[in-house]
């Protein structure tokens, strides 16, 4: 037999699950406990007190005539009868020592008178019997025990005997149905995870701080609205949309306040700084909530299971009520029993009493009342389940009461669990919503970031770049630290892989800032910050994966001079970039696009009138359409690199102001069109390196103003004399070809300052080479040269000489006559340098303040 505590444990759930128990579930649990007590109480009473006592029903004839006559001594014995449950009960019966034999059909008085003659004592006894009440049955003890047991099982209705057990079974089923969703494996894990996260969110210090900040912002906003509604009406907004700016609204919006360029910024009280441990725990909670939401929103199993168990309880209630109500009247104190054992007892009918009848009836009525209440609650639960869509949950109220207007609505099991929590305490869902908000997460990151990156730490990361400018490079942070904008002397700011970068109005303090790099960093800008950048920023570098990552405000920086775009701009995305006009970039001079274009975007022509340099670096995608180039008449520098060009585009010949042309890393094989360059009177630099050119046409002589010619990394085998007719040529680079001979006509290039022929097949250096007395850079490495003429000493301006990788056995001592040549500018094997005379080495080892240059 089990105890009440053991049965009650079936209804026991973890205390943390109580937040998912609405009032009706709690009430039904208590009702189930009361029903358990009723069942156990009834069962206990039945096992210990239940009795049936039966007496035979005498026939009317017998009742009217039969008068037992006793003579002699009366012998009184006490007989114990046994009930149907085996319990002994005492009853007093009277037996006479010489009683006559009972013969059915024959009256006892007749038999007695025939056997015993009337005497004086007999008459007295008869008188006494007339005065006494009750009738004798002449049954012995065993017969009473037998008939009580027979009638307990035959006369009592089955419900009177099994009522406690039925109540116990029904109650256990109801208890199991109420808590099955907490035990089912597929729902139990989700519920445990949800309750765990919910408890941590409720207790997290960040929740309190975030909601406190909301209260501060609300009070500050109300104060500002009361004191300066008119003055703020033009520039204060509480929109949380993050749309792209248009030409008339150049502001990048964000949640919270917005500011214009001519109004002061409203200061909002900041949140108290979290310690590092609390901050890390809050960050982990955001990640857990994000993953849990993605996992739980996929299904509605918890909702369906809860609805199913509620339906089962309702059906169970209806079933119990229907059959129990029919048995209320069957429980009675008196029962007629016809055991059909006349041959053993001598009587056909008995009248029995059930001593537990009144108690059982009252317990049954109480049980029915409890079941009715339980059933009405089940019906209310079903009404609540279907009255509103519980598979959708809106945080609209939380959004209205807080500054976290981006809290998303949830669905399926996640929504249902939140609805259940609301029945316990709505504060839970409000605090939970804080961890669903990206604004809240960003604020947490901002606080932690500012705590970690102080002004002193940022100052240590500032360095000087190649242009001798103060530069700060921040990589993979959760945001931009506020202290960055206190570095007022900073000139270059690089932000790399900072997806939540925001540029506040404080950037207006950085009056020296002229260059901004955004590498995979779609920064958002406040209105005041945008106004500052629009007027002061000169150079912008944007590296992106998709064109949509380019900040919309970048197209509105009217004082921008240089724009560098590096990212994917394939044929599909070309349409997208066409939507953004460059017309507002009125002072743009340099446009650098490194992408995979198949055509030059048409909107580049918006900046054509003032663009002086256009650079297009493809990743090997063939650039087919170049007609837009014809409109860029003011372009002075044009680079089309790695565009798979096979010939020089004809559109280039229309660029009358072109001074430098770079067609590096294409597939150009022939340059016969070079004769058309004679119309480009200002062309001074031609770079055709890293192509497949096999020969230089004589028409190159028509480019009379050419000063630099780069033909390295081609397939040239010789240098035609036409090249040496370019009298203004100062730099000639033919490195890494297959040239075996340097023509003697090279002496005609009297203005030549840089000559590179590294990586060819030259074995002899003509003496005429050293008549180019203005040479400052001479690259002769990786050839087959066996000796260096002494006339090298005539190159008095030589600062760089490369000889490494040849077949030299010695160096001429005349190297010491090259007054500007030093050891750092002499690239040669160590053993050759060591073989020089000491006085020559001493000259070459002298320090000089004149830097050398290789001309590349």
């Amino acid at each position: 037999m089990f105890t009440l505590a053991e049965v009650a444990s079936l209804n026991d759930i973890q205390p943390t699950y109580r937040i998912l128990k609405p009032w009706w579930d709690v009430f039904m649990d208590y009702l189930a406990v009361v029903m358990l007590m009723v069942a156990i109480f009834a069962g206990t009473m039945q096992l210990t007190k239940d009795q049936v006592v039966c007496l035979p029903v005498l026939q009317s004839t017998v009742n009217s005539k039969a008068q037992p006559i006793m003579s002699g001594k009366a012998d009184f014995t006490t007989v114990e009868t046994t009930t149907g449950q085996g319990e002994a009960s005492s009853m007093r019966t009277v037996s006479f020592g010489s009683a006559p034999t009972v013969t059915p059909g024959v009256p006892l008085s007749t038999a007695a008178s025939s056997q015993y003659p009337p005497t004086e004592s007999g008459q007295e006894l008869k008188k006494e019997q007339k005065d006494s009440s009750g009738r004798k049955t002449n049954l012995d003890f065993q017969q009473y025990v037998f008939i009580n047991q027979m009638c307990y099982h035959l006369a009592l209705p089955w419900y009177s005997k099994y009522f406690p057990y039925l109540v116990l079974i029904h109650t256990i089923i109801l208890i199991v149905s109420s808590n099955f969703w907490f035990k089912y494996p597929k729902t139990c894990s989700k519920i445990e995870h949800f309750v765990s996260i919910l408890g941590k969110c409720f207790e997290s210090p960040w929740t309190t701080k975030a909601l406190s900040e909301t209260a501060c912002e609300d009070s500050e906003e109300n104060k500002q609205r009361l004191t300066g509604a008119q003055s703020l009406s033009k520039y204060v907004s509480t929109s949380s949309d993050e749309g792209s700016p248009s030409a008339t609204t150049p502001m990048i919006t964000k949640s919270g306040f917005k500011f214009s360029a001519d109004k002061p910024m409203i200061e909002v009280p900041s949140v108290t700084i979290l310690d590092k441990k609390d901050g890390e725990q809050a960050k982990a909670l955001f990640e857990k909530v994000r993953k849990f939401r993605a996992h739980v929103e996929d299904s509605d199993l918890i909702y369906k299971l809860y609805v199913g168990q509620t339906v089962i309880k309702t059906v169970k209630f209806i079933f119990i009520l229907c059959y129990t109500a029919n048995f209320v009247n069957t429980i009675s104190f008196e029962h007629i029993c016809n055991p059909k054992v006349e041959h053993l007892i001598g009587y056909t009918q008995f009248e029995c009493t059930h001593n537990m009848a009144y108690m059982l009836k009252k317990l049954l009525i109480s049980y029915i009342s409890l079941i009715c209440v339980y059933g009405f609650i089940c019906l209310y639960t079903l009404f609540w389940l279907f009255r509103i869509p519980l598979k959708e949950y809106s945080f609209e109220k939380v959004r209205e009461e807080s500054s976290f207007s981006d809290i998303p609505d949830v669905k399926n099991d996640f929504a249902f669990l939140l609805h259940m929590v609301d029945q316990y305490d709505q504060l839970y869902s409000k605090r939970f919503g804080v961890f669903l908000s990206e604004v809240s997460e960003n604020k947490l990151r901002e606080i932690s970031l500012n705590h970690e990156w102080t002004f002193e730490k940022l100052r240590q990361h500032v360095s000087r770049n190649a242009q001798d400018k103060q530069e700060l490079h921040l990589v993979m942070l959760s945001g931009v630290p506020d202290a960055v904008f206190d570095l007022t002397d900073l000139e270059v700011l690089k932000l790399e892989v900072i997806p939540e970068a925001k540029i506040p109005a404080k950037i207006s303090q950085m009056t020296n800032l002229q260059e901004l790099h955004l590498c995979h960093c779609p920064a958002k800008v406040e209105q005041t910050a945008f106004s500052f950048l629009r007027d002061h920023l000169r150079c912008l570098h944007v590296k992106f994966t998709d064109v949509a990552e380019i900040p919309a405000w970048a197209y509105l920086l009217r004082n921008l001079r240089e724009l560098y775009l590096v990212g994917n701009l394939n044929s599909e995305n070309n349409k997208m970039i066409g939507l953004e006009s460059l017309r507002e970039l009125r002072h743009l001079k340099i446009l650098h696009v490194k992408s995979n274009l198949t055509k030059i975007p048409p909107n580049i022509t918006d900046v054509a009138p003032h663009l002086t340099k256009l650079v297009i670096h493809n990743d090997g995608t063939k650039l087919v359409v170049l007609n837009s180039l014809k409109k860029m008449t003011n372009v002075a520098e044009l680079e089309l690199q790695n565009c798979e060009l096979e010939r020089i585009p004809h559109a280039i010949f229309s660029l009358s102001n072109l001074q430098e042309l770079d067609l590096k890393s294409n597939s150009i094989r022939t340059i016969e069109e070079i004769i058309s360059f004679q119309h480009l009177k200002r062309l001074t630099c031609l770079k055709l390196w890293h192509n497949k050119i096999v020969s230089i046409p004589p028409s190159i002589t028509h480019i009379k103003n050419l000063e630099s010619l780069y033909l390295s990394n081609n397939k040239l085998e010789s240098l035609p004399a036409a090249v040496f007719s370019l009298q203004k040529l100062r730099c000639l680079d033919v490195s890494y070809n297959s040239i075996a001979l340097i023509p003697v006509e090279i002496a005609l290039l009297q203005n030549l300052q840089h000559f590179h022929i590294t990586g060819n097949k030259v074995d002899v250096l003509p003496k005429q080479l050293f008549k180019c007395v203005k040479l400052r850079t001479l690259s002769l490495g990786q050839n087959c040269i066996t000796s260096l003429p002494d006339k090298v000493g005539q190159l008095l301006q030589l600062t760089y000489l490369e000889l490494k990788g040849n077949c030299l056995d010695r160096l001429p001592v005349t190297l010491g006559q090259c007054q500007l040549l030093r050891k750092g500018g002499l690239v040669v094997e160590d053993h050759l340098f060591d073989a020089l005379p000491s006085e020559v080495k001493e000259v070459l080892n002298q320090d000089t303040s004149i830097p050398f240059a290789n001309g590349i």
Side-chain angles (χ1 to χ4, degrees):
M1 186 65 185
F2 41 78
T3 64
L4 178 60
E6 292 173 338
V7 176
S9 66
L10 297 173
N11 195 34
D12 187 28
I13 59 172
Q14 296 183 17
T16 52
Y17 285 0
R18 291 175 182 171
I19 60 176
L20 294 176
K21 301 281 284 186
W23 68 265
W24 52 83
D25 277 352
V26 175
F27 195 18
M28 285 192 285
D29 287 345
Y30 282 115
L31 288 176
V33 171
V34 175
M35 286 189 283
L36 270 180
M37 295 177 66
V38 169
I40 295 173
F41 177 72
T44 304
M45 294 291 292
Q46 190 178 53
L47 292 174
T48 58
K49 302 286 186 179
D50 201 16
Q51 297 179 7
V52 172
V53 178
C54 299
L55 290 175
V57 177
L58 302 178
Q59 296 180 2
S60 57
T61 56
V62 174
N63 292 337
S64 60
K65 296 180 181 179
Q67 298 291 338
I69 300 174
M70 300 187 309
S71 62
K73 264 184 183 178
D75 188 12
F76 295 91
T77 60
T78 300
V79 181
E80 292 186 354
T81 61
T82 305
T83 64
Q85 297 296 325
E87 297 291 338
S89 61
S90 300
M91 64 179 293
R92 294 185 62 86
T93 59
V94 181
S95 62
F96 299 91
S98 57
T101 304
V102 178
T103 304
V106 180
L108 290 176
S109 58
T110 306
S113 60
S114 61
Q115 186 173 359
Y116 302 101
T119 61
E120 183 180 354
S121 62
Q123 291 177 357
E124 293 177 356
L125 181 60
K126 184 175 181 181
K127 185 178 180 180
E128 291 178 357
Q129 289 177 349
K130 288 181 179 180
D131 297 333
S132 63
S133 61
R135 295 182 179 178
K136 309 304 180 183
T137 60
N138 297 323
L139 295 178
D140 59 16
F141 172 76
Q142 288 80 8
Q143 289 173 321
Y144 275 110
V145 172
F146 174 77
I147 200 61
N148 287 345
Q149 291 181 350
M150 285 287 294
C151 290
Y152 181 85
H153 293 286
L154 295 178
L156 262 83
W158 68 271
Y159 197 78
S160 297
K161 294 179 287 186
Y162 302 113
F163 162 70
Y165 310 106
L166 292 175
V167 173
L168 181 63
I169 292 173
H170 292 324
T171 305
I172 291 176
I173 293 175
L174 293 176
I175 290 174
V176 171
S177 299
S178 293
N179 298 286
F180 185 70
W181 68 313
F182 292 125
K183 307 294 183 181
Y184 186 59
K186 290 185 178 180
T187 59
C188 178
S189 59
K190 293 181 180 180
I191 294 173
E192 287 180 357
H193 198 185
F194 174 76
V195 172
S196 174
I197 293 176
L198 188 63
K200 293 177 181 178
C201 292
F202 190 85
E203 297 173 357
S204 173
W206 168 244
T207 311
T208 304
K209 295 180 186 297
L211 294 177
S212 300
E213 183 191 39
T214 297
C216 292
E217 288 180 354
D218 291 343
S219 62
E220 185 66 23
E221 182 181 353
N222 293 335
K223 182 178 178 181
Q224 292 293 338
R225 187 179 295 111
L226 291 173
T227 57
Q230 291 183 348
S231 60
L232 294 178
S233 60
K234 297 180 180 179
Y235 63 95
V236 177
S237 174
T238 55
S239 172
S240 62
D241 299 331
E242 295 184 355
S244 299
S246 64
T248 58
T249 57
M251 184 181 71
I252 301 302
T253 61
K254 70 169 195 173
S255 63
F257 291 105
K258 303 173 185 174
F259 309 96
S260 67
D262 55 348
K263 296 293 181 181
M265 181 175 64
I266 300 173
E267 293 293 338
V268 177
S270 60
V271 182
T272 305
I273 296 176
L274 293 173
D275 58 42
K276 186 174 182 180
K277 182 179 179 181
D278 291 339
E280 293 300 324
Q281 288 178 349
K283 289 179 183 178
L285 270 179
F286 274 106
E287 186 63 26
K288 286 183 179 179
V289 170
R290 189 180 299 110
K291 291 182 178 179
F292 177 77
R293 179 189 175 193
H295 176 61
V296 176
E297 276 194 317
D298 291 340
S299 66
D300 57 352
L301 178 61
I302 298 177
Y303 172 76
K304 289 180 178 178
L305 190 60
Y306 188 84
V307 172
Q309 71 183 29
T310 305
V311 171
I312 290 174
K313 289 190 293 183
T314 306
V315 172
K316 187 72 175 175
F317 146 71
I318 297 173
F319 171 73
I320 294 173
L321 190 62
C322 289
Y323 88 84
T324 304
N326 295 328
F327 293 106
V328 175
N329 295 325
T330 61
I331 299 178
S332 175
F333 180 74
E334 297 180 356
H335 299 277
I336 300 299
C337 177
N338 298 302
K340 297 182 180 179
V341 288
E342 185 179 357
H343 60 288
L344 298 176
I345 303 298
Y347 295 96
T348 59
Q349 192 176 62
F350 293 84
E351 186 170 345
C352 304
T353 61
H354 185 202
N355 65 331
M356 285 291 296
Y358 292 120
M359 180 62 70
L360 289 178
K361 192 166 187 177
K362 292 177 180 178
L363 290 175
L364 178 59
I365 294 173
S366 300
Y367 175 67
I368 292 176
S369 301
L370 293 173
I371 281 293
C372 290
V373 176
Y374 194 96
F376 288 136
I377 296 176
C378 289
L379 294 175
Y380 174 81
T381 305
L382 289 176
F383 168 74
W384 179 79
L385 286 171
F386 298 109
R387 179 175 59 90
I388 58 175
L390 296 181
K391 291 197 290 184
E392 298 176 2
Y393 189 91
S394 174
F395 285 96
E396 183 177 358
K397 186 176 181 181
V398 181
R399 289 194 292 262
E400 292 175 354
E401 295 177 353
S402 69
S403 62
F404 307 129
S405 57
D406 67 323
I407 300 178
D409 295 338
V410 295
K411 58 183 180 179
N412 289 336
D413 282 343
F414 198 4
F416 176 69
L417 290 174
L418 289 173
H419 279 293
M420 296 295 284
V421 169
D422 278 352
Q423 299 301 316
Y424 184 82
D425 190 347
Q426 292 186 355
L427 184 59
Y428 276 92
S429 60
K430 182 177 181 180
R431 286 177 169 260
F432 195 83
V434 172
F435 287 89
L436 289 171
S437 169
E438 291 186 7
V439 173
S440 172
E441 186 174 7
N442 293 338
K443 285 185 178 180
L444 173 64
R445 290 174 180 172
E446 181 181 347
I447 293 171
S448 302
L449 184 70
N450 292 332
H451 183 57
E452 179 182 0
W453 288 86
T454 60
F455 179 83
E456 292 75 14
K457 183 176 181 179
L458 289 169
R459 174 61 70 183
Q460 295 174 1
H461 285 73
V462 176
S463 61
R464 290 276 179 180
N465 61 12
Q467 291 77 32
D468 196 32
K469 295 181 178 180
Q470 289 197 37
E471 176 181 295
L472 176 62
H473 191 186
L474 300 177
V475 184
M476 296 184 69
L477 298 181
S478 58
V480 182
D482 289 343
V484 168
F485 307 106
D486 295 327
L487 301 171
T488 56
D489 53 349
L490 199 65
E491 298 174 89
V492 180
L493 178 59
K494 292 185 177 182
L495 306 177
E496 183 173 353
V497 195
I498 305 178
E500 299 297 331
K502 294 182 180 179
I503 302 178
K506 285 181 65 177
I507 198 174
S508 57
Q509 301 175 175
M510 306 174 69
T511 54
N512 292 322
L513 184 66
Q514 294 187 349
E515 185 174 341
L516 179 62
H517 294 248
L518 301 175
C519 181
H520 300 289
C521 180
K524 300 177 180 64
V525 179
E526 292 184 6
Q527 177 63 35
T528 306
F530 168 75
S531 300
F532 172 80
L533 294 175
R534 181 186 59 195
D535 297 334
H536 292 81
L537 196 63
R538 297 292 180 266
C539 181
L540 177 63
H541 295 251
V542 182
K543 187 175 182 180
F544 53 90
T545 302
D546 188 83
V547 67
E549 296 178 18
I550 302 176
W553 51 267
Y555 300 103
L556 306 172
L557 303 174
R558 61 190 180 194
N559 285 327
L560 196 66
R561 300 292 191 273
E562 302 177 25
L563 177 61
Y564 296 81
L565 301 176
V566 182
N568 183 19
L569 290 172
N570 55 32
S571 57
E572 295 180 0
N573 289 334
N574 264 337
K575 299 177 182 179
M576 297 180 64
I577 197 173
L579 300 177
E580 299 291 349
S581 174
L582 302 176
R583 192 174 294 109
E584 294 296 324
L585 306 180
R586 300 168 186 172
H587 296 90
L588 191 66
K589 300 295 182 184
I590 299 174
L591 178 59
H592 186 291
V593 180
K594 186 176 182 181
S595 184
N596 53 351
L597 298 174
T598 56
K599 64 178 182 179
I600 297 179
N603 58 337
I604 291 183
T605 58
D606 293 337
V607 294
H610 42 82
L611 197 66
T612 59
K613 182 177 180 179
L614 175 62
V615 179
I616 296 179
H617 285 197
N618 260 9
D619 60 354
T621 304
K622 190 171 183 178
L623 188 61
V624 180
V625 181
L626 298 100
N627 294 332
S628 299
L629 287 176
K630 295 180 179 180
K631 300 179 181 180
M632 301 180 186
T633 55
N634 291 324
V635 170
E637 298 181 36
L638 176 63
E639 294 184 20
L640 301 175
Q641 296 189 15
N642 206 15
C643 297
E644 288 297 314
L645 300 176
E646 297 179 356
R647 305 181 73 90
I648 300 175
H650 290 279
I652 294 176
F653 305 138
S654 302
L655 306 178
S656 57
N657 290 314
L658 191 64
Q659 298 177 17
E660 181 178 331
L661 176 63
D662 188 349
L663 299 177
K664 181 182 178 180
S665 301
N666 283 283
S667 300
I668 299 175
R669 297 178 180 273
T670 177
I671 54 174
E672 296 297 333
E673 302 89 347
I674 204 170
I675 191 173
S676 299
F677 282 141
Q678 62 183 331
H679 304 294
L680 306 180
K681 303 298 183 181
R682 299 185 179 184
L683 186 63
T684 58
C685 181
L686 180 60
K687 297 180 179 180
L688 298 172
W689 45 358
H690 296 271
N691 279 281
K692 300 177 182 179
I693 301 171
V694 296
S695 63
I696 302 173
S699 57
I700 196 173
T701 58
H702 295 289
I703 316 176
K704 298 184 180 300
N705 292 322
L706 199 62
E707 297 179 2
S708 301
L709 179 60
Y710 294 85
L711 292 166
S712 63
N713 295 90
N714 278 284
K715 297 182 179 181
L716 299 176
E717 296 181 356
S718 63
L719 291 174
V723 174
F724 306 105
S725 65
L726 302 172
Q727 296 297 319
K728 294 184 179 181
L729 201 63
R730 292 188 300 171
C731 178
L732 177 60
D733 184 2
V734 290
S735 302
Y736 300 101
N737 281 280
S738 300
I739 299 172
L741 179 65
I742 299 176
V744 296
E745 289 84 356
I746 195 172
L748 300 175
L749 301 177
Q750 288 300 304
N751 290 315
L752 191 64
Q753 297 180 12
H754 309 282
F755 180 50
H756 304 276
I757 197 168
T758 301
N760 281 275
K761 300 177 180 179
V762 176
D763 53 358
V764 177
L765 296 176
K767 295 179 181 181
Q768 289 79 3
L769 173 63
F770 303 101
K771 292 183 179 181
C772 301
V773 294
K774 292 184 179 181
L775 275 174
R776 300 179 60 193
T777 303
L778 182 59
S779 301
L780 302 171
Q782 301 179 34
N783 278 281
C784 303
I785 301 172
T786 56
S787 64
L788 181 64
D790 294 338
K791 290 185 177 293
V792 70
Q794 298 177 6
L795 304 177
L796 300 180
Q797 298 184 23
L798 192 66
T799 59
Y800 182 84
L801 176 61
E802 180 188 356
L803 295 170
K804 195 172 185 177
N806 284 283
C807 302
L808 298 172
D809 54 0
R810 68 178 183 86
L811 295 176
V813 296
T814 55
L815 280 177
Q817 299 175 11
C818 299
Q819 300 175 1
L820 301 180
L821 185 64
R822 295 294 178 264
K823 183 179 179 180
L826 179 60
V827 183
V828 69
E829 286 82 358
D830 292 339
H831 70 278
L832 294 176
F833 181 81
D834 295 338
L836 287 170
S838 58
E839 60 272 13
V840 176
K841 289 191 289 184
E842 185 177 351
V843 172
L844 294 175
N845 285 325
Q846 290 180 357
D847 293 333
T848 179
S849 59
I850 303 177
F852 66 88
N854 61 8
I856 300 298

